[in-house]
Amino acid sequence: MAERRRIPRTCTTEVTGSPSTTIPAFTSHSGTTASKGPSIVRRTAALSVANPPRSHYRREVISHSHGQPVAHFLALIPAHNEAATIDDTLTSLERQGLPPTWTVVVCDNCTDDTAEIAHRRGVRVFTTEGNTDKKAGALNQALAVLLPELEPTDHLLVMDADSVLAADFLETSRDILARNPDVGAVGGVFHGHSGGGLIGALQRNEYARYAREIHRKSGRASVLTGTGSVFRVSVLRDVAAARGGELPGIPGRVYDTLALTEDNEITLAIKTLGWRAVSPRRCRVTTEIMTTWGDLWKQRLRWQRGALENLRNYGVNRVTLPYVAKQVVMYLGIVAIALLLVGTVLFITMGDYGPPRGFWLAVTAVFVVERIVTVRRRGWRATLLAAPLVIEFLYDLFQQAVFVRAAFDAVFTRSTEWHHATDE
């Protein structure tokens, strides 16, 4: 266990365009603060706030009965050039029924106004230094400073700077963690923002089906989504301590910077250490969608390649077996679809192909009903998109092509870069 430290009573930093500002200390649960040497936050990066409203730093007393320790929330928001969306993200935190005690925006190699907007909103800003490890590296830098200052009973929300949380997200997470001591983290159930035309509508239908699948599995999380997940501080410390031994990665770091999909990897890490992960329906997150086929291809290629590499790094065990089985079934399905397409072409060229009849008509009807039922909660537009089958079938073929490419790249160890829609 890392040596416990306290953020000093005051931490004075220089904020561009405003006078030097005193940052309130994190306060211990007993209501005391301790000063120990120079500012801790200056050791690796700049942490600052401009003109913070006093109410922003108020303590939300989260007490569960019978003398249980008080838990507090730290919201950590990694951001790379998110000036267009950070305002909405911070607003969603302010509107929480149980707002976070502290909010920190981690500005990673930003060249836009993300930091300035965060300052104006009265939240703390952590600026990375020399980070080349993308989101995982940015989070590691911030956690190296902040995590040792929190109590083991505190909770840490990690969310993307282009996502919006449902108003009861944190309250629901707190209640689940309080009732279930074996749950190490609570993940969000993500849905897509509006817009994007046809490609946006297809992604929203896809996300709706994924949310339904999680709900039907009693909220068991396959992935603790980076769009918004809450972790026990004690669990993240356990993960950091297990790196380089029981878990892959560099000892002392929470996130494995070699993983293309850090959220998938940390899910496997937490489960490997014996914790459960859940994604309740009420923990809804609305996040960005890809608006071009090129961006979607790069995003999904990273997701699938990362999933395959994570499984290779962890090997086949009690935790990874369900993931491996799902991958095997998925790739067998791709082979089956390929054979179906080849057979269809052969029948057409032989002049022996027509509308489905008899048994195959019944099978087609089942597929149509399944497509409609699984998105009916999204309304008539989603239903109309799903009903013809062919549009979503072509979308599925697109994704299957991504999966095949990801497998090829993973086998032949071709490099794949972390892609963000704002990286042009």
Side-chain angles (χ1 to χ4, degrees):
M1 186 68 68
E3 179 187 354
R4 298 304 313 284
R5 294 184 300 244
R6 290 284 175 214
I7 290 183
R9 190 179 303 276
T10 60
C11 172
T12 303
T13 60
E14 197 70 21
V15 180
T16 304
S18 67
S20 182
T21 304
T22 298
I23 298 179
F26 287 173
T27 307
S28 70
H29 297 313
S30 62
T32 62
T33 59
S35 179
K36 188 174 182 179
S39 170
I40 293 173
V41 297
R42 286 189 180 278
R43 290 187 298 108
T44 56
L47 181 64
S48 58
V49 66
N51 303 321
R54 178 177 292 273
S55 62
H56 181 75
Y57 295 102
R58 72 183 184 278
R59 279 285 190 178
E60 295 292 339
V61 179
I62 309 170
S63 180
H64 291 290
S65 77
H66 310 307
Q68 286 190 353
V70 177
H72 300 287
F73 278 93
L74 167 64
L76 203 58
I77 309 172
H80 171 68
N81 291 340
E82 301 288 0
T85 58
I86 190 65
D87 243 337
D88 291 340
T89 299
L90 294 174
T91 297
S92 78
L93 288 176
E94 291 177 355
R95 292 176 177 174
Q96 290 294 302
L98 177 70
T101 313
W102 313 283
T103 299
V104 178
V105 174
V106 183
C107 281
D108 180 41
N109 300 316
C110 290
T111 57
D112 64 358
D113 296 331
T114 300
E116 288 75 11
I117 293 171
H119 280 313
R120 289 198 298 269
R121 295 295 297 266
V123 302
R124 305 181 185 192
V125 171
F126 183 104
T127 303
T128 62
E129 291 184 353
N131 178 43
T132 58
D133 291 322
K134 302 295 184 180
K135 180 179 175 181
L139 286 169
N140 280 338
Q141 284 196 19
L143 289 171
V145 174
L146 300 174
L147 197 58
E149 316 313 324
L150 300 174
E151 296 289 347
T153 53
D154 289 336
H155 305 320
L156 185 80
L157 165 69
V158 178
M159 68 176 297
D160 286 345
D162 52 23
S163 299
V164 173
L165 303 182
D168 57 350
F169 188 104
L170 293 184
E171 191 169 10
T172 300
S173 299
R174 176 204 63 184
D175 293 342
I176 288 174
L177 292 172
R179 292 194 306 265
N180 302 276
D182 61 332
V183 172
V186 178
V189 179
F190 54 87
H191 300 262
H193 279 303
S194 60
L198 175 61
I199 187 174
L202 288 167
Q203 290 170 82
R204 286 188 290 274
N205 274 9
E206 176 190 5
Y207 292 167
R209 292 189 177 98
Y210 179 69
R212 186 174 185 271
E213 177 186 346
I214 293 175
H215 179 66
R216 289 171 65 86
K217 294 192 301 183
S218 301
R220 294 192 302 273
S222 298
V223 177
L224 292 165
T225 172
T227 59
S229 291
V230 173
F231 304 88
R232 295 185 191 271
V233 165
S234 59
V235 170
L236 293 182
R237 287 179 179 161
D238 288 347
V239 169
R243 293 289 185 197
E246 188 175 359
L247 301 177
I250 299 175
R253 296 186 182 180
V254 175
Y255 286 91
D256 181 5
T257 55
L258 296 181
L260 283 172
T261 48
E262 75 291 327
D263 50 359
N264 175 267
E265 194 281 334
I266 203 165
T267 306
L268 294 178
I270 288 172
K271 290 184 176 183
T272 297
L273 295 182
W275 296 93
R276 288 200 299 129
V278 299
S279 292
R281 175 178 283 180
R282 292 178 63 186
C283 285
R284 181 185 176 106
V285 188
T286 306
T287 190
E288 72 169 347
I289 55 171
M290 298 295 105
T291 57
T292 70
W293 292 104
D295 282 338
L296 183 63
W297 175 276
K298 293 174 183 176
Q299 180 199 59
R300 298 309 170 85
L301 182 61
R302 180 177 68 85
W303 287 3
Q304 179 61 13
R305 172 75 180 275
L308 293 175
E309 291 186 350
N310 289 338
L311 292 176
R312 181 171 60 192
N313 291 337
Y314 276 81
V316 180
N317 53 51
R318 61 175 180 80
V319 171
T320 61
L321 185 58
Y323 294 87
V324 172
K326 185 174 182 179
Q327 292 289 337
V328 170
V329 170
M330 183 185 70
Y331 278 102
L332 288 176
I334 292 174
V335 172
I337 291 295
L339 293 175
L340 172 65
L341 292 176
V342 170
T344 300
V345 171
L346 289 176
F347 278 118
I348 290 175
T349 56
M350 295 169 58
D352 189 21
Y353 186 81
R357 298 183 298 271
F359 172 78
W360 294 111
L361 180 60
V363 170
T364 302
V366 170
F367 274 106
V368 171
V369 170
E370 185 273 338
R371 294 276 95 181
I372 292 174
V373 167
T374 51
V375 298
R376 71 186 189 282
R377 291 178 178 270
R378 294 202 56 248
W380 64 270
R381 288 186 176 86
T383 301
L384 285 180
L385 179 61
L389 280 185
V390 63
I391 299 175
E392 290 194 328
F393 180 69
L394 292 174
Y395 181 66
D396 289 343
L397 290 180
F398 171 86
Q399 296 209 77
Q400 289 176 11
V402 173
F403 298 155
V404 170
R405 172 62 185 272
F408 179 86
D409 289 349
V411 169
F412 294 99
T413 62
R414 296 172 57 125
S415 62
T416 298
E417 294 186 356
W418 205 102
H419 177 72
H420 190 283
T422 59
D423 295 332
E424 299 297 341

